Amino acid sequence: MTDQNYETSDVLVVGSGIAGLAAALGAVRELEQGESSERASGGTASSEGSDVTVATKATRPEGASSWWAQGGIAVSRDHPEQFKQDIIAASDETADPDAVDVLVENANDAVEDVLLETLEVEFDENGDDLDFTREAAHSEDRILHVDAATGKHIHVPFLNYLDAHDGVEILDDTAALELIRHEGRVHGAMLESDGEVTPHYAGSVVLATGGIGELYPRTTNPDMATGDGIAMAALAGADVEDMEYVQFHPTVAIPGEDSDDDDVFLVSEAVRGEGALLRNGDGERFMKEYHADAELAPRDVVARAVKAEREGTGEVLLDVSPLSFAAEFPGLARRCTDHGIDYEDGIPVAPAEHFLCGGVAVDDRGRTTLDRLYAVGECSRTGVHGANRLASTSLLEGLVWGLRAGEDAAGKGVEPIEAPDLLERDPDLPARFAGDKMHRLRRVMDEQLGVERDPDELGKAMATVRRLKGEVDAYVRTRTSRSLYELRHASVTALLVARHASENTESVGTHNLVEKAPAEPSAD
């Protein structure tokens, strides 16, 4: 055992979105129940270390993807079988039916228990009843929402509830750099805060690090979504699946051609659910030509259609005139105004990276293929989404799997081992090193692993990312910094996306293969 200073917890959760917070809640509830049983039998519960620690890179709620979720959270209501069919249909028939059963069968109870009873989230109402809305590929109204800002109305009270809980410690502005593991078991993680790196040992580690939006130039994710959990798990030897299935949201507002990619913002699918229409640069409504469900077709279909129409006619506008936009979506209306968009003339939209459907492979309790390592939320691959995610199921998946993983992870027992030696023996990185490498990575992902993919280009993309990863690895061997490890995680994750995409020769869901037309022969 190392003589370094270290910290311990029964359960260490890495990430503070709804999945991580649900895991923390599930774990602390399980521990409290165990302590209650121990006391009842005359024993004494252990008080060493924290019960549950949540380590998060975020320094404010906006740092978690859940905070940005607009549409809402879907529930089964009285028709679980129809909900299941909608999820599988949206996935292009690739979702795992057993995983979908877990989600659907636990949906109502999880929402009732955590969001309504424990957190008392005030969802929008229609008279005296909860107001349910519909989004793309849903066959009925089943989505609970708060305006078009559901995520923050769930996330903030959830954070506050756990922050006030004696059994939970939340470490913000804290990044996990590497898992501590030995012979197939994970014992903790190396955590960095304010430049200091400390081993944190835990009976179980739950990864809830969110998505991979930072790998693309245009995304709906917060700016810290660098695929950390996926990369750490993969480097530790955990199985990773379905990484080629990267979902692009079709309606992301583009304030102007000269605007920075950071200025884009999501326009919820709920707006189309309430009647908004997509029109191309010629003013024509076009979605009926692409799918029978028109604007409410699955996301992958709408994203490809919007891309095609933008390329063919110059722009795509979301026409909100069929609804009372400012009254029904006041937050989005204000955001349009703040960005100089006159929504009455239509909102200019384009696809942007939104959600990774694959990730660290887990079972129905969030267990990975490594002992004592769990993954929940967007960094995990439960099988629910298959090749394409149904709208408003991500918050639900995070809640359901988070609770189940947290309960299973609790009470395993902490066993500190020798921690990895993260070196700091070379000078600091060149000032623009991380930024330049990330820019290069984003260009490859955007051009070769975007909405459409040329099979002939995927091998080239993988080779480019592999070289970039090698360059980053050379620095990681002698330097330790958060930005460098984020870059390593991003390059590892990008390589996984490229590798899985190159291995999958079937065009399905979000993995859309389109061969470029051969060049015209020269007249000479």
Side-chain angles (χ1 to χ4, degrees):
M1 171 60 214
T2 179
D3 58 0
Q4 284 181 289
N5 293 327
Y6 63 90
E7 302 294 335
T8 65
S9 301
D10 189 277
V11 176
L12 171 63
V13 179
V14 183
S16 61
I18 190 172
L21 299 181
L25 178 62
V28 78
R29 282 176 169 178
E30 186 70 16
L31 291 169
E32 287 175 338
Q33 184 175 345
E35 289 175 0
S36 178
S37 300
E38 184 76 13
R39 285 192 294 269
S41 64
T44 303
S46 171
S47 60
E48 182 181 354
S50 300
D51 289 340
V52 178
T53 298
V54 178
T56 174
K57 289 198 294 186
T59 55
R60 52 194 173 123
E62 293 94 323
S65 294
S66 296
W67 194 91
W68 293 98
Q70 290 186 4
I73 184 166
V75 292
S76 300
R77 302 191 73 181
D78 296 326
H79 305 103
E81 188 58 36
Q82 185 58 55
F83 189 16
K84 178 180 178 180
Q85 291 175 15
D86 287 352
I87 293 171
I88 294 175
S91 77
D92 213 352
E93 306 296 327
T94 60
D96 179 348
D98 292 336
V100 177
D101 280 340
V102 172
L103 184 78
V104 169
E105 291 169 5
N106 288 277
N108 292 346
D109 289 345
V111 170
E112 180 75 25
D113 169 23
V114 178
L115 304 187
L116 296 178
E117 295 181 358
T118 302
L119 303 181
E120 299 180 347
V121 175
E122 295 182 356
F123 289 107
D124 288 349
E125 296 183 347
N126 185 359
D128 295 330
D129 300 319
L130 290 169
D131 180 51
F132 294 91
T133 190
R134 183 183 307 193
E135 294 185 11
H138 286 270
S139 61
E140 65 176 358
D141 298 344
R142 61 164 70 94
I143 300 168
L144 292 168
H145 58 96
V146 184
D147 184 20
T150 307
K152 68 180 180 182
H153 288 279
I154 293 174
H155 193 224
V156 172
F158 213 157
L159 269 174
N160 292 340
Y161 178 86
L162 289 174
D163 200 30
H165 198 294
D166 291 339
V168 179
E169 180 182 20
I170 298 178
L171 306 176
D172 65 5
D173 195 16
T174 300
L177 305 184
E178 188 171 314
L179 294 174
I180 303 171
R181 80 275 190 187
H182 180 65
E183 294 183 348
R185 174 179 166 182
V186 171
H187 294 260
M190 302 296 290
L191 301 185
E192 182 274 335
S193 180
D194 198 24
E196 296 294 323
V197 181
T198 305
H200 194 112
Y201 297 99
S204 299
V205 175
V206 182
L207 298 173
T209 55
I212 64 170
E214 275 292 274
L215 277 59
Y216 288 85
R218 184 180 289 161
T219 180
T220 63
N221 288 188
D223 60 10
M224 291 180 284
T226 46
D228 299 337
I230 297 167
M232 286 189 292
L235 289 169
D239 288 350
V240 175
E241 297 179 10
D242 290 351
M243 292 294 292
E244 70 271 39
Y245 298 137
V246 181
Q247 186 179 76
F248 291 79
H249 200 290
T251 54
V252 173
I254 311 296
E257 290 300 323
D258 297 329
S259 64
D260 189 90
D261 286 322
D262 291 337
D263 291 334
V264 305
F265 60 93
L266 178 66
V267 180
S268 170
E269 228 152 46
V271 179
R272 280 178 282 135
E274 293 301 311
L277 305 173
L278 287 165
R279 299 188 184 278
N280 62 24
D282 298 328
E284 300 167 341
R285 183 185 178 194
F286 57 85
M287 274 310 305
K288 286 186 177 180
E289 299 175 12
Y290 289 88
H291 196 280
D293 292 336
E295 278 78 8
L296 296 184
R299 280 181 177 167
D300 61 314
V301 176
V302 183
R304 290 194 291 273
V306 170
K307 179 179 183 294
E309 294 296 322
R310 277 174 55 84
E311 291 173 351
T313 68
E315 69 174 350
V316 168
L317 297 173
L318 185 64
D319 176 8
V320 297
S321 62
L323 62 153
S324 300
F325 182 63
E328 295 183 49
F329 300 97
L332 278 175
R334 284 193 300 271
R335 200 158 188 194
C336 286
T337 301
D338 291 344
H339 282 79
I341 296 173
D342 184 352
Y343 56 80
E344 292 184 353
D345 292 335
I347 303 170
V349 294
E353 193 282 335
H354 185 57
F355 189 89
L356 177 65
C357 298
V360 185
V362 299
D363 66 7
D364 64 351
R365 295 283 172 178
R367 292 173 290 217
T368 73
T369 54
L370 295 179
D371 187 24
R372 311 293 182 89
L373 180 67
Y374 297 74
V376 293
E378 192 173 349
C379 74
S380 71
R381 185 272 185 191
T382 63
V384 164
H385 308 304
N388 184 57
R389 177 173 70 86
L390 178 66
S392 287
T393 54
S394 58
L395 291 178
L396 180 63
E397 181 196 37
L399 179 62
V400 169
W401 256 266
L403 289 173
R404 292 166 70 85
E407 292 169 1
D408 196 81
K412 303 291 189 188
V414 182
E415 183 183 337
I417 63 170
E418 191 72 26
D421 188 13
L422 305 188
L423 300 178
E424 189 62 63
R425 67 187 183 204
D426 280 1
D428 291 339
L429 291 170
R432 293 183 54 82
F433 177 83
D436 288 346
K437 298 298 183 188
M438 187 63 82
H439 177 75
R440 179 175 157 200
L441 179 67
R442 288 181 184 133
R443 187 173 67 248
V444 174
M445 299 298 286
D446 184 45
E447 294 175 357
Q448 297 172 318
L449 289 156
V451 176
E452 294 178 334
R453 299 159 180 184
D454 184 341
D456 295 334
E457 296 292 318
L458 294 178
K460 297 176 184 178
M462 187 162 61
T464 301
V465 176
R466 185 182 287 113
R467 285 195 299 271
L468 190 149
K469 176 183 175 296
E471 295 168 11
V472 174
D473 285 345
Y475 283 93
V476 170
R477 296 187 190 103
T478 60
R479 297 170 176 84
T480 301
S481 72
R482 183 183 301 192
S483 63
L484 183 57
Y485 270 79
E486 285 180 331
L487 183 58
R488 181 179 78 153
H489 295 157
S491 62
V492 169
T493 303
L495 183 57
L496 288 167
V497 173
R499 180 181 299 157
H500 285 222
S502 65
E503 292 172 351
N504 187 350
T505 59
E506 180 185 5
S507 190
V508 55
T510 57
H511 180 56
N512 188 54
L513 300 174
V514 179
E515 294 188 14
K516 292 181 180 178
E520 293 290 334
S522 172
D524 298 334

